[in-house]
């Protein structure tokens, strides 16, 4: 990972600020001959797009993606496919409203990146958070839409499972429900609680955190590597790298610390398909940094946004103490829009490891092994 | 991060298996003219070394490190210093006991990496876990000892704060206590509880997980980068990449999901040193992926080892169902020895970002900024 | 170097095809607070731009660059500067003329990349050469304009020194002349010969190769690294990576093979500035892969373009034998426009190593060393 | 490429100095299940080993390689194979003779890396050249032996074609002859001339340069990538990165600058195997940065060593002017021992690109394409 590049074989370089002319990404290393048009990407951006309910920021951005390079409509088929060269995705910024940033131009929002950008770079595009804006995640979601097309049979889905103190009941988990409510939550009952709760938070000018769970099915066994390219390590880095994320878990996560070895071990039997059947999935689909073929399960916690109407004590870039209220359009719960972002990051990590595994090992070994090795 | 290389400017490539002739690492990118002998590294290895109490594996390894390259005793000073070329650290394996692995040669320990190695590579050095052995972390600890010498004023310490269901009382936190008990825990009272509890676990042939907290003070403000080189993202990847880790948190971690924006925001005042003074540290010393200058706080959860005396259902590499008990020398709580490993990984990440920041930005900008820019 | 990314600290990712909507690059790792507007970049693109004389392709492209991200007009100064975040440069394609590619859509131009793209990717955007078009080098030239601003005192200039069999007389070398003739050659006399010679080549529907020399002055001593990050190795890769380049030399290059050790060794004296004075520069400013502080001298050979009016035997993508003539707009000597590209690549390599050196070593050691080391 | 790591999927990190305890490399990314023992590597080291004729340095080094990690004798087959984990190769230094370096401890050999190391790092292991010693290339040769086993059907051979002013007659090229004379030259007649000429150079206490040609057959079509991962660019970097190399050519190299487009274009017909048949190979097997399937042809020029008995003017590290004669064991023509090193570097580059191509594209597309695309 370079400063703004993610991945090794499937590499995503994002660019752009909240209030610049455009943002986007360059996807390098994508395999050729994959059907790809804007229509494959736009639906994912639409899910992440703000302003779709009263629970997310009211900034109005069409987030229309445009493919600038890396595809070609093969005349032999008429179908537009990837060419193996870099795919550039651009999203123009439309609703910047650069009007009045005088309040935050110099004073740091507590909990926000303004101070660290200033002390690192000595300069900071403070308009809308600049590069630290959650708008950057649109580029990730766009890249994730391509990543999904690389691994055959892969299905990456995420769901919001907690807002503030309210956690879903996993027994009511219904994937269809995720598409029906504005919280991407699988628990229809809890969606009502979330709505009431967030209305209060919003009216109060406050904000609150959330927890999201990502589940990837169809991950081939054998992705990852023993030491520094562990699949779980790369997932942890990818998810912790999403704006405002403060915690990441794989499988049982922190709860695993309380388990005994015999409870934690996922026992194995032979499945009808001749492949191993795990009797549980405490490991979250990853052992020794390598995928087992079970669903890969990850969770991440999103902190509440620092853009709130409550006055907070702070300092400005000249070293003067002051107080700050953040007016303007904001998300009472930024965790909601992190759901499609989490999916995208997991898809990118898996696509990258899929290509790396194919590179190093080529065709997967046939398992189980024959008892008598061929001479 | 390549398969076995960690870091960008400060790069650590580890190698070696549990039962091969030696393990170690090559550290590339270390600045020159840093005083370095084996004596700077050995104490950290001695802390991680097994067999020092009844609570860790009884394998007896001196873990004596030898510097094979990258240092030179400058005749002008007589002092041995780094030369800027790759530093190779080698640790020979002594107590391998390759005797009897017939039980696990073919059958997979549930919860262990045997199956995933086989299905990925089609071959697996099963002796002592091969490359998946916790012995590999000795190389990380050795590299971490070098990393510590790179950032002036950096102090990275870790402590065990939970074993199974037993959590320390943070009001009793005493760093000196960490060096006095075999658990690296800062709570002397809890150390007794841990001892009793682990004796039970050990006698029962079971194992249990743990939680470790790492605190780095003296981290300069400005380390990290906005998007894919976020300091917290790299820390998360580094800690999740330690054997058996299933969860990582920065600052308040998962608890941040339950906070309101006003409670989570770390307010700022001006300190007497002319630098910002944060009134709290929910962020764990990182905002927008960049260090604030506050202590960097990370936590990680370690699952219980899968090497237990309880019979578990499993399959072998030929697809036959069987049961397995893991005999031999094992850790009832592998989390204990993960304490120095967590320190080392955090030190490596910070050293890497320190050099990257110096490379990109050079001298840090002077903060606070002058109100009237010089003409 | 990834597939389409160049450099380590100063990283340039280029994208785009000849006949897509746009091409450009993302520059990551650029230091912050460097003054940068389109006006800093455009002059370099204008030099490379086709259609400026009858000796280059008549394609009319304004090559107007637009900065999409990574800059900010600091209100404190009003000056637009880099922010340390990714700088995206976009150049729209205007004069694509996608009309009639039926001739080369299926048949491979001998000496061109069409066959290799097809056999690698199974698909190929043949319009104007697609990604293999020399248009991609516009993005490199744009990135080079930024690279030049990073190293204080650096001046990278290139000159064409040979076309076909005609070599310049080095005694007539005049840098000012380079800007006066359409060949970027420093020998005014030879410029006339080049003109006559190329008129003949052009009328004959043929093409011819060239040799370019790049000279960088103001390269600080100490850039590069002993083994795989040798400055000369990176320069060689960078220059050989320009379209149609078949040979690269540093300093005396191939002629060094004929020298004796005593003739080749650049003797040293002390200069009036207290720094070493080299009495010759056979080494081309690089010893052991590290810059000496002398001018860095590199040369590269460009083959003749394969787009010619002479019929050549070839095959098509269906395996049928055929003959091909390349009609349309082409360069009789693509080496001419490679001059600014060579400069740009050298500037990028030096900027990258400058940042890497600053990262690893920090402030350069003071040379000469004191005879008595301080206690 | 990091400072001391070469390659992307097939990654070689070398370490070690001339007079340290050992040198070697870690090979990461090697595919699993490749038969590998020391006996596969040693013959290549033996070819590079010094002291085998009066024309190379008389330093006596057994250069015995030891595999420290990454292999396992699979009990199912009894055969030792790679496991997919890092392979560490170690070669102990035996004949260091660290006795008397007082002459060169402080004074710089003109043409040698001593000054640049000092001015870069502020410290320099001058014993035997330290990290700049040609001994480092032993690690590359060892890695190359592994690289050769990765690409099925690959055969990489090199030959010395010029020493000083004496060039071979290509009509007398005989690969068998390369193994018969101490110069690795394919021209038996010229070998005699070389012997006489070098005897004179040696007795005169001088040194001389050389040119080596590397030819790789069995390189699959499709390796490389259009822009910054061009196969020729990576070869150029790899060969220029060998000690003392000053020039690199692919195919016709600098001579291509003098060719017309029609002479330079390699025409194509269909071969009996259903694959394209190129009627010439001016391109050296690479078009647009991607291999054509023809033999890959590269050449590189090696300068004469700066270690000579002739006094040369120089300065020392304290800024004092002086004269220097290099006594001790040296190569009159270091180009001779560069022959196996050139082979190794080319093998490593090709293996790396082979794995990268497999990663990105997977199975190669079938060429020629069907005229009627399947529905």
């Amino acid at each position: 990972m370079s400063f703004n590049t993610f991945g090794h074989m499937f590499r995503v370089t994002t660019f752009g600020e909240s209030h610049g002319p455009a943002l986007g990404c360059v996807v390098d290393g994508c395999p050729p001959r994959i059907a790809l048009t804007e229509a494959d990407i736009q639906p994912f951006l639409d899910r992440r797009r703000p302003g779709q309910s009263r629970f997310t920021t009211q900034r109005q951005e069409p987030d229309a993606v445009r493919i600038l390079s890396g595809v070609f409509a093969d005349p032999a088929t008429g179908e537009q496919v990837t060419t193996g060269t870099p795919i550039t995705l651009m999203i123009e910024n439309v609703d910047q409203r650069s009007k009045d940033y005088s309040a935050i131009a110099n004073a740091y929002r507590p909990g926000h990146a303004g101070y660290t950008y200033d002390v690192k770079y000595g300069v900071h595009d403070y308009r809308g958070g600049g590069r630290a804006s959650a708008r950057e995640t649109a580029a990730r979601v766009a890249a994730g839409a391509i990543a999904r097309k690389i691994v055959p049979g892969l299905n990456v889905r995420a769901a919001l499972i907690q807002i503030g103190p309210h956690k879903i009941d996993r027994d009511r988990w219904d994937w269809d429900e995720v598409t029906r409510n504005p919280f991407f939550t699988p628990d229809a009952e809890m969606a009502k609680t979330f709505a009431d709760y967030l209305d209060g938070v919003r009216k109060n000018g406050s904000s609150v955190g959330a927890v999201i769970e990502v589940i990837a099915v169809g991950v081939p066994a054998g992705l990852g590597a023993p030491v520094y390219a562990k699949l779980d390590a790369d997932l942890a880095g990818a998810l912790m790298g999403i704006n405002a994320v403060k915690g990441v878990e794989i499988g049982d996560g922190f709860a695993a610390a309380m388990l005994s070895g015999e409870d934690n071990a996922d026992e194995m039997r032979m499945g009808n398909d001749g492949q191993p059947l795990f009797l549980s999935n405490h490991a979250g689909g990853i052992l020794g940094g390598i995928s087992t073929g079970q669903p890969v399960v990850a969770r991440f916690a999103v902190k509440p946004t620092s853009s709130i109407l409550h006055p907070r004590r702070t300092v400005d870039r000249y070293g003067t103490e002051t107080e700050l209220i953040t007016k303007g359009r904001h998300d009472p719960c930024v965790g909601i829009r992190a759901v499609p972002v989490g999916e995208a990051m997991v898809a990118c990590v898996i696509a990258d490891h899929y290509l790396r595994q194919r590179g190093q090992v080529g065709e997967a070994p046939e398992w189980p092994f024959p008892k008598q090795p061929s001479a």
Side-chain angles (χ1 to χ4, degrees), chain A:
Chain A
M1 270 186 259
S2 176
F3 293 126
N4 292 280
T5 298
F6 181 78
H8 295 260
M9 287 291 296
F10 181 80
R11 295 169 72 84
V12 180
T13 302
T14 74
F15 60 86
E17 284 82 31
S18 172
H19 282 57
L23 56 85
C25 62
V26 181
V27 176
D28 195 9
C30 183
R33 286 171 286 150
I34 292 178
L36 185 73
T37 70
E38 279 89 349
D40 293 304
I41 302 168
Q42 195 62 51
F44 294 97
L45 286 169
D46 290 345
R47 284 182 76 208
R48 194 212 70 99
R49 194 153 55 82
Q52 302 191 93
S53 81
R54 68 184 184 277
F55 306 110
T56 59
T57 172
Q58 294 307 302
R59 179 169 174 169
Q60 291 298 332
E61 284 288 355
D63 280 354
V65 68
R66 192 175 163 214
I67 303 179
L68 291 187
S69 67
V71 294
F72 184 58
D74 191 337
T77 63
E79 187 184 40
Q80 180 166 292
V81 297
T82 59
T83 60
T85 62
I87 303 166
T88 306
L89 307 176
M90 186 171 74
I91 298 163
E92 290 187 60
N93 287 321
V94 172
D95 185 19
Q96 294 114 319
R97 296 202 204 166
S98 265
K99 40 176 190 169
D100 190 8
Y101 280 98
S102 54
I104 64 153
N106 298 324
Y108 302 121
R109 265 176 290 172
H112 199 266
Y115 168 67
T116 54
Y117 272 61
D118 256 4
V119 79
K120 178 181 184 70
Y121 296 121
V123 57
H124 178 214
D125 179 351
Y126 46 76
R127 299 167 303 159
R131 181 77 175 140
S133 166
R135 269 198 72 62
E136 183 271 340
T137 60
R140 307 186 188 205
V141 169
I146 299 177
R148 288 167 188 273
K149 305 196 82 170
I150 289 174
V151 186
L154 176 68
N155 187 8
V156 183
R157 292 187 291 187
L160 191 147
I161 61 172
Q162 180 183 341
I163 291 184
H166 303 287
K167 303 182 188 184
I168 65 158
D169 179 344
R170 300 185 76 94
D171 289 338
R172 291 196 295 250
W173 192 296
D174 174 3
W175 278 112
D176 290 338
E177 179 59 26
V178 169
T179 62
R180 286 192 210 116
N181 63 65
F183 309 106
F184 304 112
T185 193
D187 176 347
E189 287 295 304
M190 186 51 66
K192 296 173 203 160
T193 308
F194 286 165
D196 290 345
Y197 176 70
L198 275 191
D199 276 336
V201 168
R202 190 165 48 88
K203 281 168 192 160
N204 186 28
S206 182
S207 65
V208 72
V211 177
I212 291 100
E213 183 164 315
V214 192
I215 300 177
V217 298
V219 181
L223 306 195
V227 176
Y228 293 127
K230 282 189 152 92
L231 184 60
D232 37 5
D234 279 1
L235 287 170
L239 295 173
M240 192 69 91
I242 299 173
N243 307 37
V245 172
K246 301 304 283 183
V248 178
E249 295 185 320
I250 304 292
D252 281 6
F254 278 84
M258 297 202 233
L259 290 180
S260 69
E262 52 273 30
D263 287 342
N264 181 68
D266 300 312
E267 293 184 296
M268 301 168 81
R269 297 283 85 179
M270 286 301 293
N272 293 331
D273 60 353
Q275 294 299 303
L277 184 73
F278 291 88
L279 305 184
S280 54
N281 190 13
H282 298 283
I286 302 174
L287 285 174
I290 301 169
S291 60
T292 63
Q294 285 194 284
V296 168
V297 180
R299 263 179 311 283
F300 60 98
V302 180
K303 71 175 183 183
T305 178
S306 53
S307 301
I308 48 176
L309 289 172
H310 294 248
R312 296 280 93 189
R313 285 173 291 173
T314 190
V315 301
D316 69 14
R317 61 200 321 252
Y318 310 118
T320 309
E321 300 189 337
T322 181
E323 285 211 339
L324 197 68
I325 291 180
T326 314
K327 292 171 185 167
R329 308 161 299 181
H330 296 295
D331 291 47
C333 179
V334 287
I336 297 171
R337 293 205 291 135
V339 173
V341 183
E343 282 184 7
M345 293 310 289
V346 169
C348 286
V349 169
I350 292 170
D352 186 36
H353 276 282
Y354 176 80
L355 299 182
R356 293 169 81 180
Q357 166 69 357
R358 185 162 76 179
Q360 188 190 7
V361 177
E363 256 182 89
E366 236 179 272
W367 192 95
F369 301 119
K371 269 219 164 162
Q372 298 299 332
S374 49

